[in-house]
Amino acid sequence: MGWEEWLISTIARALAYGTPLLWGTLGEVYAERSGVVNLGVEGMMAIGAFSAFAVAQSTGNPGLGILVAAVAGGGAALIHAFLTVTLRANQYVSGLALTMFGLGLSGLLGRGWEGVPLKHPLPAITVPYLADIPILGPMLFQNQSIITYLGLVLAVVLWVLLYRTRWGITLRSVGESPATADALGVNVYLVRYLAVILGGVLAGVAGGYLSVEYRPSWTEGMTGGMGWIVIALTIFVAWDPVQAIGGAVLFGALYHLSYRLQPWVAPELLKLMPYAAAIIVLAFVGLGGAQRRRGAPGALGVPYARGEK
Amino acid sequence: MRRSLKIAAIVAAVAGLCTLGLAAETVKVGFIYVGPIGDYGWSHAHNVAREICEQNFPWLETVYVESVPEGEVETYIDQLVRQGCNIVFTTSFGFMDGTYAAALRYPKVILAHCSGFMRAPNLATYMADFYQVYYLNGLMAGALTKTGKVAYVGAFPIPEVKRHLNAFAIGVREVNPNAEVHVRWIYEWFNPAAAKEATEALVAEGCDVFAFTEDSPTVVQVAAERGFPSFAHYSPMYDFAPDYVVSGQLVHWEAIYLDFLQKVHDGVYTNENLEHVDYWWLLSQKAVEVGAKPGMMINPVFEDDLKAYIVDHPVFGEISAYDLVMVRYNQMADPGVTFDPFQGPIYDRRGVLRVPEGMWMSVDSLITMEWAVEGVVGPWPGEP
């Protein structure tokens, strides 16, 4: 086995494992860009995973399952938006509650769905012609998910929207200084609602990917902490959708390598590797932050009340 | 996290009163589970057994609590005793200290702890162990591998998993002396994503037959996607890959629960004579079964391959892998057990003689096994 084999399997697995992280992170980036932290990603993913599985299993249509997961995730996020934007509840508390709610609800509804294989999972795709390219083919174009490719495209689209369009400026201004945006005639509440709901939609898809493609089956608690990795990744990638690709793939690669390298490095140490990387980068972000907060929205985590100082 | 989230544990009480409507003979039993009953693994299997007990005994009433954090088991025992339970089963190794403490505080209540070793006059222990089954699975795996590399995804490097892995490797090498068993640890009982990536890592390593210890069918699914045979663990996983699951390990906790409860009901077991009651039930007591679903020991898809694989066996001479599995199964499943996978001489992979020629291991040495047999490749934390 040469280095090519290592490279191929590492990148290919990094994309597969990184896909739900990418979708979740893109959603959280948008929510936080509007100034709302949503710690409920894990819960929204769990709801997405269950609803996608239930729908895909009963209709035989995994695509519809993903769609319903998106709606369900968005619905869950709507609760967070209502609590934090309209009622101005503490964003951290509300997000944690949403995580507990999502895990609990999906576990409850999921009774009786566990232990059955999904009859029609989302098929893995191999891109014609491109898959035959040496090294690059097996690395990027064999047995990957359509959700993976959609995620990559979405990241670029969201980047363009954020940095190159009027909508993006509006979103960022709401996250930086809602009072200023409000004074300029921006509907702060509406923008925040939409951003938070989009975050939920994308987290829902991330969960759906897990249950109709990555596994594909349902078990209670199957999100296994990915939602928390998403929260860390959002900071890690400096709230930038394109950097989110790099973050998700890097995390996926470290995860894969933590199993490949076990014969040579203590498994306990490897198990820590992805998380240690996250902590190190967060520390660097903190150190470098004095000059340039690396994209952290100015009003992040602060509820906005019109007319209050 | 998931467990502690369930602060309000769901307690379901189903009243199975005796047919005459008289509750005088009723035995009320509480079950404490470490995971959610939806895990499709350990806790799920205990709960299936609980339901079977309730159907079998009209005088039995059961309640259960799921997702109980290991440190809080005493509080939950208190709660069940207050609800009137005369018997409490605690079903996780980590519940041991709490269960023992509760046994001392409630001398009138009968307790039984699964997979531990602390006993008291009113506290028994019980375990249904898979090592014989893993050995039989190993015989099949050794015959089916073409690359000579068999994979094992392990949960935690603790004696229980090491014992199973060693038994599996002994089986593999009995039919295929040069084969290796490659191991990866995921450090979780339940984590589908970790199991998937560990499997992928072993695929990349060149392994082509898969066995595991993790509470989800992930390894079976991933192996099937790649076209590789695998062995199911704990629950019936045949349906997840009917063309690729060779066999597996199935548990029948009800065998133990039915026996124990019947003896309590008959007055054989009381709160004063459990000090030496330790169920260590295997194939011959029918507490465990070989197969990926009940009643199917070997998937017919693989029968021809196993019959065509001929071994030159030191005891049986020329014998097919299929016949060897059957012979060994009968030796272990018949009430007078005449064979054990850990029959000496057995050397560990560092060359130390662990079981002398002709000897078997005691239960105590089985449940404290830390070494790795020859043929195991990969990390082995805690290796002596």
Side-chain angles (χ1 to χ4, degrees):
Chain A
M1 270 178 295
W3 61 271
E4 300 99 331
E5 193 280 329
W6 276 82
L7 187 68
I8 289 167
S9 74
T10 303
I11 301 293
R13 294 315 308 160
L15 281 173
Y17 182 80
T19 294
L21 299 178
L22 176 61
W23 281 80
T25 306
L26 290 175
E28 187 67 10
V29 164
Y30 260 58
E32 295 196 7
R33 279 289 185 175
S34 81
V36 182
V37 175
N38 188 352
L39 298 183
V41 180
E42 179 86 358
M44 299 188 295
M45 277 175 75
I47 288 175
F50 169 70
S51 47
F53 183 81
V55 170
Q57 188 71 309
S58 27
T59 64
N61 185 340
L64 187 65
I66 296 285
L67 213 64
V68 172
V71 174
L78 182 62
I79 301 173
H80 184 66
F82 177 71
L83 287 172
T84 59
V85 180
T86 304
L87 301 182
R88 298 199 294 275
N90 183 304
Q91 294 178 5
Y92 299 94
V93 174
S94 166
L96 285 172
L98 183 60
T99 284
M100 294 184 209
F101 171 74
L103 287 172
L105 183 71
S106 61
L108 193 65
L109 295 176
R111 289 281 151 84
W113 293 87
E114 72 275 347
V116 277
L118 184 58
K119 287 193 283 280
H120 303 282
L122 210 57
I125 53 174
T126 294
V127 186
Y129 306 114
L130 291 177
D132 300 330
I133 306 172
I135 299 183
L136 276 183
M139 199 159 80
L140 304 174
F141 301 113
Q142 281 179 14
N143 286 320
Q144 291 290 354
S145 168
I146 184 78
I147 310 263
T148 305
Y149 296 131
L150 285 177
L152 297 174
V153 173
L154 184 69
V156 176
V157 170
L158 290 179
W159 185 89
V160 172
L161 271 177
L162 192 61
Y163 291 113
R164 294 287 181 271
T165 68
R166 179 177 288 274
W167 290 352
I169 295 171
T170 307
L171 177 68
R172 284 186 286 144
S173 64
V174 167
E176 284 300 333
S177 172
T180 316
D182 198 358
L184 292 170
V186 173
N187 186 337
V188 173
Y189 293 155
L190 180 68
V191 169
R192 286 191 164 181
Y193 258 89
L194 290 178
V196 171
I197 290 170
L198 177 69
V201 167
L202 301 190
V205 173
Y209 168 82
L210 288 176
S211 67
V212 305
E213 162 94 47
Y214 187 81
R215 284 288 304 275
S217 58
W218 161 256
T219 336
E220 186 174 347
M222 64 180 290
T223 44
M226 277 191 173
W228 301 111
I229 298 176
V230 162
I231 305 288
L233 268 180
T234 305
I235 306 168
F236 183 97
V237 303
W239 296 268
D240 178 321
V242 167
Q243 282 190 42
I245 298 175
V249 170
L250 175 70
F251 221 83
L254 286 174
Y255 198 76
H256 174 76
L257 286 175
S258 74
Y259 296 106
R260 283 307 295 279
L261 296 173
Q262 272 198 13
W264 303 282
V265 188
E268 295 93 335
L269 209 65
L270 289 168
K271 185 93 181 145
L272 287 174
M273 205 161 65
Y275 306 96
I279 291 170
I280 290 167
V281 173
L282 291 184
F284 273 109
V285 171
L287 290 175
Q291 295 91 10
R292 206 170 57 88
R293 280 175 295 107
R294 271 193 96 238
L300 189 61
V302 186
Y304 176 66
R306 197 166 191 173
E308 278 178 23
K309 239 336 181 162
Chain B
M1 186 72 195
R2 177 160 45 98
R3 286 168 193 157
S4 59
L5 294 181
K6 299 214 165 172
I7 294 157
I10 302 159
V11 180
V14 187
L17 293 173
C18 62
T19 40
L20 295 174
L22 297 168
E25 288 284 305
T26 302
V27 174
K28 187 168 178 178
V29 181
F31 287 78
I32 297 183
Y33 306 137
V34 70
I37 57 171
D39 67 359
Y40 209 62
W42 178 265
S43 296
H44 178 81
H46 281 278
N47 196 52
V48 168
R50 179 190 64 84
E51 287 169 350
I52 293 173
C53 290
E54 196 149 75
Q55 285 156 14
N56 269 274
F57 295 142
W59 40 263
L60 183 70
E61 184 188 343
T62 66
V63 291
Y64 71 88
V65 202
E66 59 180 326
S67 298
V68 171
E70 293 190 326
E72 290 170 31
V73 65
E74 255 192 282
T75 326
Y76 285 88
I77 295 174
D78 288 345
Q79 184 189 322
L80 290 173
V81 170
R82 243 180 278 126
Q83 285 176 35
C85 290
N86 358 59
I87 304 177
V88 177
F89 292 112
T90 59
T91 65
S92 177
F93 181 79
F95 289 158
M96 185 163 66
D97 294 338
T99 308
Y100 186 76
L104 299 184
R105 285 195 292 119
Y106 298 110
K108 295 245 183 288
V109 176
I110 289 177
L111 293 115
H113 174 239
C114 182
S115 79
F117 51 81
M118 289 170 89
R119 279 180 294 279
N122 60 334
L123 171 60
T125 50
Y126 62 102
M127 179 70 180
D129 199 78
F130 277 143
Y131 78 93
Q132 296 170 328
V133 184
Y134 268 107
Y135 159 77
L136 293 170
N137 288 169
L139 292 176
M140 301 179 223
L144 292 172
T145 177
K146 295 189 174 60
T147 59
K149 290 180 179 178
V150 177
Y152 196 109
V153 176
F156 286 94
I158 59 167
E160 181 186 336
V161 181
K162 287 177 172 176
R163 174 172 71 245
H164 294 165
L165 216 161
N166 281 336
F168 181 74
I170 288 171
V172 168
R173 305 263 288 189
E174 186 168 331
V175 298
N176 195 341
N178 296 319
E180 295 171 340
V181 176
H182 288 246
V183 54
R184 290 292 185 280
W185 304 101
I186 60 172
Y187 286 85
E188 311 237 24
W189 289 115
F190 172 79
N191 187 334
K196 175 154 182 158
E197 295 310 324
T199 308
E200 293 285 357
L202 287 159
V203 169
E205 209 75 358
C207 297
D208 65 349
V209 181
F210 293 80
F212 65 100
T213 305
E214 193 257 350
D215 287 342
S216 79
T218 309
V219 176
V220 165
Q221 288 175 293
V222 177
E225 271 169 37
R226 303 301 192 110
F228 295 133
S230 62
F231 293 85
H233 176 65
Y234 228 89
S235 294
M237 295 177 177
Y238 172 81
D239 290 340
F240 283 86
D243 293 332
Y244 296 102
V245 180
V246 186
S247 183
Q249 315 98 40
L250 295 167
V251 72
H252 294 286
W253 288 110
E254 65 274 14
I256 294 177
Y257 287 130
L258 288 171
D259 185 83
F260 188 86
L261 291 170
Q262 186 68 56
K263 285 182 171 149
V264 171
H265 191 245
D266 294 346
V268 179
Y269 290 158
T270 68
N271 58 334
E272 287 164 357
N273 65 3
L274 300 179
E275 189 100 50
H276 301 292
V277 174
D278 175 30
Y279 285 73
W280 172 257
W281 277 23
L282 311 168
L283 278 173
S284 66
Q285 292 92 354
K286 303 204 181 326
V288 294
E289 183 182 346
V290 187
K293 71 173 181 185
M296 192 185 72
M297 190 164 152
I298 298 176
N299 187 340
V301 170
F302 292 95
E303 252 175 46
D304 289 343
D305 286 349
L306 293 172
K307 283 176 177 162
Y309 187 91
I310 307 295
V311 188
D312 186 12
H313 197 275
V315 181
F316 306 108
E318 295 231 324
I319 186 170
S320 76
Y322 185 88
D323 290 338
L324 184 60
V325 170
M326 293 304 161
V327 171
R328 290 302 198 198
Y329 173 78
N330 289 330
Q331 286 182 320
M332 295 188 289
D334 289 342
V337 182
T338 54
F339 173 76
D340 191 90
F342 291 103
Q343 184 169 293
I346 290 178
Y347 291 86
D348 72 16
R349 67 176 185 181
R350 294 191 163 161
V352 180
L353 180 67
R354 290 294 177 177
V355 188
E357 174 96 40
M359 301 288 279
W360 288 13
M361 294 181 72
S362 66
V363 173
D364 280 348
S365 48
L366 281 172
I367 64 173
T368 52
M369 185 183 294
E370 289 285 0
W371 41 272
V373 293
E374 288 172 306
V376 173
V377 176
W380 199 265
E383 185 163 16

